[in-house]
Amino acid sequence: MAKLNVADLMRDLRTNARQGLCRASFLERSRKRAAYPGEQGLPLLGVGSSCGKPAFALPYPLTWTEENTLALEALARRYRGHVEYGHLAHLRHTATDRELAALQDWTPFGVVYLRAEYEHAAELLRDLVETLRPHDAPNGQERMTP
């Protein structure tokens, strides 16, 4: 059971974002975010503008299929959740209705927005990467993303 390592950075970014009219504070937050090494080999793209969750680039393109949506639903159940399908696929915790993750099928790579403070976030990130990996995608550290 582990939160993401980026949880402390996210808390700091949220706290300091309240200084909305301060250019120096904005530049400092941008520097910290850009310097972050990522999670589990996935680069931190930034922070979701509407959800405030850290966004990580998947190491492959994400194209939704019957097979991977069923696999995502099975994974959600393992984490006591369910999937809501809107513009994005959202994994929500059933008991609390709290959003744990959102997945975006951007080209040339997929994006995972993940609640960094969730107590199983590290495991969920690992499992999402493996569950959604296309059969023809590399399985190592090779990347097609920035």
Side-chain angles (χ1 to χ4, degrees), residues 13-41:
L13 294 176
R14 284 186 201 113
T15 300
N16 291 316
R18 293 186 184 118
Q19 301 172 21
L21 298 176
C22 180
R23 181 175 33 84
S25 177
F26 171 76
L27 292 171
E28 178 61 16
R29 290 191 312 274
S30 296
R31 185 197 61 72
K32 286 179 181 179
R33 194 175 55 241
Y36 189 76
E39 295 277 341
Q40 301 179 26

Side-chain angles (χ1 to χ4, degrees), residues 20-66:
L21 298 176
C22 180
R23 181 175 33 84
S25 177
F26 171 76
L27 292 171
E28 178 61 16
R29 290 191 312 274
S30 296
R31 185 197 61 72
K32 286 179 181 179
R33 194 175 55 241
Y36 189 76
E39 295 277 341
Q40 301 179 26
L42 303 177
L44 174 66
L45 297 173
V47 179
S49 60
S50 64
C51 65
K53 293 178 187 64
F56 300 97
L58 290 171
Y60 46 75
L62 178 58
T63 301
W64 292 114
T65 65
E66 185 77 13

